[in-house]
Amino acid sequence: MNDTAQQFTTRQTAVLDAALSLLVDGGEKALTTAAIAKEAGCSKESLYKWFGDRDALLAAIISRQASKVRIPQAPKLSFTEMALHEALVDFAHNLLQVICSEVSIALNRLAISQASKGDYTLGKTLLNRGRGHIGAQTTVLLRQAEAAGFLKFDSAEAAYQVLYGLVLQDIQLRVLLGDSLRPEEQNLKQLAEVAVNHFLKLYQTN
């Protein structure tokens, strides 16, 4: 499980999911404390108690979305090349599912909208709590694979950036710009496989 998910109680997670639903359906204007409280069946006082101000609530929403990405773990028993391949493909597939979801697209559009007005708070939070957290956790597996002799690189962080780029390509950008050819679910697994195969050709030791 992603560590980000562990900071929220079941009730708080339900509230964040309600907020995400409002964001997707109505955009930024729909994301008011009154609307979230009504949708989640809680009081505004509870929202402020749990999450603080609006920026803190948005940060929590981003953390909730990032928690949906399954961080790849090294197999506890038999850490083989095949196990590494499967772990990376599962991660890449899940990352594509989350990044291409309506929720992630809505969050990125909101961040872009705010940045155009000179407010970079949400964008920085997306980078730190979303991409940054996922990357930091995934590099743990890459270092373990290097220690096991399966991968070779100068920097695990740089290798992760290559993996991330190979997985996402320009897919999210196209969706953000309104490309109607959103990848179908059956294609996401294939895209993940291709990306991981390219990554391993670059960094695998043999």
Side-chain angles (χ1 to χ4, degrees):
M1 178 182 291
N2 193 323
D3 293 340
T4 310
Q6 297 176 1
Q7 62 181 294
F8 304 125
T9 66
T10 301
R11 189 72 186 92
Q12 290 168 342
T13 296
V15 171
L16 294 175
D17 284 341
L20 288 168
S21 178
L22 286 171
L23 177 62
V24 170
D25 293 338
E28 182 179 9
K29 292 181 179 179
L31 207 60
T32 65
T33 52
I36 295 171
K38 181 179 179 181
E39 181 77 10
C42 69
S43 66
K44 288 194 289 185
E45 289 74 17
S46 293
L47 286 179
Y48 289 120
K49 178 182 178 181
W50 290 335
F51 305 111
D53 60 18
R54 188 171 184 274
D55 285 342
L57 175 60
L58 285 171
I61 289 172
I62 292 169
S63 292
R64 169 59 182 153
Q65 185 65 4
S67 75
K68 296 177 183 178
V69 177
R70 294 189 299 271
I71 302 301
Q73 303 291 328
K76 293 182 179 180
L77 297 178
S78 179
F79 193 3
T80 63
E81 290 185 6
M82 181 175 293
L84 173 63
H85 179 272
E86 290 176 354
L88 290 176
V89 169
D90 182 64
F91 163 70
H93 181 206
N94 181 235
L95 179 63
L96 282 168
Q97 288 175 314
V98 174
I99 290 296
C100 293
S101 69
E102 291 183 347
V103 170
S104 289
I105 296 304
L107 280 170
N108 278 274
R109 282 177 174 157
L110 176 56
I112 292 169
S113 173
Q114 292 186 354
S116 69
K117 302 171 186 175
D119 183 357
Y120 303 99
T121 304
L122 183 58
K124 290 179 179 178
T125 304
L126 272 172
L127 288 172
N128 293 331
R129 295 206 178 192
R131 179 171 177 170
H133 175 80
I134 294 166
Q137 295 297 309
T138 306
T139 54
V140 173
L141 172 65
L142 298 183
R143 290 193 182 95
Q144 290 173 325
E146 181 189 33
F150 299 135
L151 299 178
K152 183 177 181 180
F153 41 70
D154 294 327
S155 165
E157 289 77 13
Y160 171 74
Q161 293 300 327
V162 172
L163 174 62
Y164 190 90
L166 287 170
V167 172
L168 289 192
Q169 303 177 55
D170 66 342
I171 295 171
Q172 187 183 45
L173 177 61
R174 294 206 316 268
V175 177
L176 278 168
L177 293 176
D179 190 341
S180 59
L181 298 177
R182 185 189 295 258
E184 297 292 336
E185 171 57 32
Q186 61 267 28
N187 293 332
L188 293 181
K189 185 64 177 292
Q190 182 179 3
L191 289 171
E193 289 269 6
V194 171
V196 169
N197 287 341
H198 284 316
F199 175 77
L200 291 177
K201 284 182 180 179
L202 290 171
Y203 294 104
Q204 210 164 21
T205 53
N206 54 19

